[in-house]
Structures are given as C-alpha cells and as structure tokens.
Amino acid sequence: MKKKDAGGGKGGLLRLDKYLADMGLGSRSQIREGARKGKIRVDGAVETNPERKIDPQAAEVTWDGQPVAYVSQEYYMLNKPQGVVSATEDKLHRTAVDLIADRRRKDLFPVGRLDIDTEGLLLITNDGDLAHRLLSPKKHVDKTYYAEVEGRLPEDAAERFRAGIILKDGTETMPAVLRMEDGLSSWDEGGPNGRRSRNKGGSDGMLPQDGKDSRSLFSQDEGGHEPRQAVLLTIREGKFHQVKRMFEALGCKVTYLKRISMGNLRLDETLRPGQYRPLTEQEIEMLKKQSRSGRL
Ligand code: URA
C-alpha cells in the first residue's frame, strides 16, 4: 500500500500524527489511538483526525492537555565518555543519543563515529544534510584528536603523516598533521575518565600551513617502559579506527584518544565527559557554512 505523504517539508504543512511522533509522543498507531480517545487538541478544539495537516509553526497542539511545541531540527555538542557507543540504539551499551536527556526529537543521531573507548566531541543532530557534508572527505572538514601514544614514534613521524600513512592493510590515508604536546600533563585530569584540555597557544586544532612542528619526539623513559607521548593529530577522513591504525602503522599504540574539534567547532571545555549542550545559533551557522564551502 502506498504510504501517504506526511508533509513537513521546510515551511510546509505537516500531518498531526507525524508532528506528535516526531516530538516523541509515541508511535503513529499510539497517536491514532490517542486521537480516537480525544487526547489531541489543535487550537483549543479536540481533533480526532490524526491525518489532518497543520502548520507546525502556527498551530497550538496539546496532547493530554500538555502543550507540544514543534522543533524541526536539533543540534547538540556532546563530550562523549568512554563506554558509550556512537549509535542511536544498542542492546549492550548506552548510546550517545541516550545521553541527550533534553532531546525533543526522536530522530537524532551522532554525526560520525567515535570508538567506544574514545572520548570527546560528538555532534548529535537530525540534520542529515549537514551530517553528510561534514563527513564527506571531499569537503575536507578537519577533525583534530588529542592522543596518548605508547611506543617509539619514528623521527620522521610528522613528515610521514603529512605525506599520508599507508595502513597495515595497504589502505592509503590522506595527509594528516601531527603535533607533539609537551607531555602527558598538558591535559588536566578531571575525575574518572575525565580529562580537560587546557587552552594552549598554537593548539587550535587547525591544519598549520608550514608543518614545521616536529620537535624531538621522546624524552627517554627511565623505567624501562615503552615511552609515551601526547600528540595532536588532525585528519580529514573518518576511516574505521583511523587514528589508532595510523599510529599502529608506525609501530605505536594509542592508549587514550579524545576528539577536540571538528572544523572550527571546538569541544566546549566546560563539558565533562557525558555532558552536552545545544549548539549556539552561531555555531550552527558556522558549521553549515564550512560544510558547504569545504573551506576552513
Ligand atoms: N580514530 C580512531 O581510531 N578512533 C576513533 O574513535 C576516532 C578516530
């Protein structure tokens, strides 16, 4: 059977059942049932026809006496904690979307994936066009990660990242920028799983143009352990486990990973792991503009 169009295009009319389902009031059939029972009012009058089309910006809709305002798009910045999956549903783990307690829409999803043990910036939205553009390698939206790496990085690591790393399975990656941090202490500890970036001059997360930031990579470890180094890595793609695999290709292991920026959007340093906030209008506009032009 052909599905009836529920409308809802930009500025258009929207079917009442879609309006209420989008706002998380239940499934379409639950909403039909509610309509039958007289739970829905539009502009003060009971409406029993869930297929009625309304103007979502103008109509005053209530469900069980409670006003239900319509929100067409939502944008949140989440500091994803470890142990949470970048998904909308999962049988075993909490999902990034579950953490957005104030969400209005039921169709939110994370833009791209962070591994379960990766922390940091994750955009949660229902804006599919924006997500698509932000994730497209063609748009060249930089993603910067803070990583702690175990093992001895080669002296020419920064040059090798800049040239593009060949992963162990032969996959070639696009050029990336590696910068050394001053040691593991350059990020503050902040409770369980909690590390916060300190604002450091020069670590703005953007691709530097000269690439001449390769300092002496390691101070010698005195306890006979593998040396560890804190780095910032900026990449333009989002291949599966990409950062970990890039370091693995150079014989090193990432022991801690946190995304700190996506394009010009930086993780809000006041957000503890697991906390989130809506993006500001300015941030939304900036992301849309960047993703359209592909320029940073
Ligand atoms: N690269 C990784 O290896 N893991 C992530 O979560 C993100 C990028």
Side-chain angles (χ1 to χ4, degrees):
M1 198 173 73
K2 200 171 169 231
K3 237 178 152 183
K4 284 188 192 162
D5 176 22
K10 279 194 182 89
L13 298 180
L14 191 62
R15 258 172 56 166
L16 199 47
D17 55 356
K18 176 163 169 54
Y19 180 113
L20 290 164
D22 281 351
M23 293 301 99
L25 272 303
S27 64
R28 295 275 187 107
S29 60
Q30 287 167 327
I31 285 159
R32 264 200 309 276
E33 175 74 5
R36 216 175 40 78
K37 291 183 173 161
K39 286 186 174 190
I40 306 173
R41 283 176 184 263
V42 178
D43 297 329
V46 172
E47 178 55 73
T48 53
N49 175 14
E51 295 183 8
R52 172 174 160 194
K53 290 197 171 178
I54 56 167
D55 177 349
Q57 304 312 323
E60 282 181 20
V61 178
T62 61
W63 171 265
D64 254 346
Q66 298 301 314
V68 183
Y70 194 74
V71 180
S72 61
Q73 287 183 317
E74 288 188 284
Y75 303 85
Y76 295 98
M77 169 191 293
L78 169 70
N79 183 354
K80 183 185 110 44
Q82 294 181 355
V84 164
V85 290
S86 302
T88 51
E89 284 176 32
D90 191 90
K91 290 211 169 75
L92 287 181
H93 301 98
R94 267 192 315 162
T95 72
V97 173
D98 291 338
L99 297 183
I100 313 295
D102 297 325
R103 68 186 184 273
R104 299 288 317 282
R105 296 199 56 105
K106 62 161 195 331
D107 53 356
L108 297 185
F109 59 87
V111 177
R113 283 176 183 274
L114 293 178
D115 297 337
I116 190 163
D117 56 355
T118 300
E119 293 179 5
L121 177 62
L122 194 58
L123 183 61
I124 312 281
T125 184
N126 62 322
D127 186 339
D129 290 345
L130 178 68
H132 179 73
R133 290 195 304 269
L134 286 174
L135 296 175
S136 163
K138 288 194 199 120
K139 294 289 180 185
H140 290 194
V141 175
D142 293 349
K143 291 117 197 151
T144 295
Y145 294 84
Y146 166 86
E148 290 173 6
V149 178
E150 198 175 80
R152 188 165 294 279
L153 273 169
E155 289 288 337
D156 61 351
E159 286 73 28
R160 288 172 67 179
F161 274 102
R162 189 161 269 283
I165 298 276
I166 299 181
L167 304 179
K168 282 194 169 162
D169 66 359
T171 307
E172 286 183 35
T173 62
M174 291 169 80
V177 173
L178 178 72
R179 277 171 292 179
M180 301 303 143
E181 289 283 89
D182 288 340
L184 302 180
S185 61
S186 64
W187 282 54
D188 298 330
E189 294 290 336
N193 290 341
R195 299 166 191 227
R196 279 184 292 111
S197 87
R198 247 186 7 220
N199 242 344
K200 290 184 64 184
S203 296
D204 59 1
M206 301 298 115
L207 286 172
Q209 296 309 305
D210 59 9
K212 289 182 192 140
D213 38 29
S214 145
R215 290 182 243 145
S216 153
L217 301 191
F218 286 111
S219 53
Q220 201 62 42
D221 183 83
E222 286 170 7
H225 298 107
E226 285 288 312
R228 297 219 300 157
Q229 171 71 48
V231 299
L232 291 176
L233 183 69
T234 300
I235 61 175
R236 293 192 157 163
E237 304 157 280
K239 295 186 195 303
F240 186 60
H241 297 329
Q242 179 159 345
V243 173
K244 292 173 185 163
R245 288 159 75 211
M246 287 172 102
F247 281 102
E248 202 179 285
L250 299 187
C252 295
K253 183 173 162 42
V254 171
T255 57
Y256 174 79
L257 190 60
K258 176 169 191 157
R259 183 156 65 193
I260 57 171
S261 69
M262 192 166 187
N264 282 338
L265 184 70
R266 281 189 69 91
L267 178 64
D268 183 332
E269 293 174 11
T270 64
L271 295 176
R272 316 287 298 160
Q275 291 184 330
Y276 66 92
R277 68 160 171 79
L279 291 192
T280 63
E281 288 299 322
Q282 204 184 3
E283 286 169 333
I284 296 167
E285 277 319 302
M286 181 186 73
L287 273 183
K288 286 185 175 173
K289 210 162 135 190
Q290 275 184 356
S291 70
R292 268 188 227 111
S293 69
R295 299 263 352 123
L296 299 176

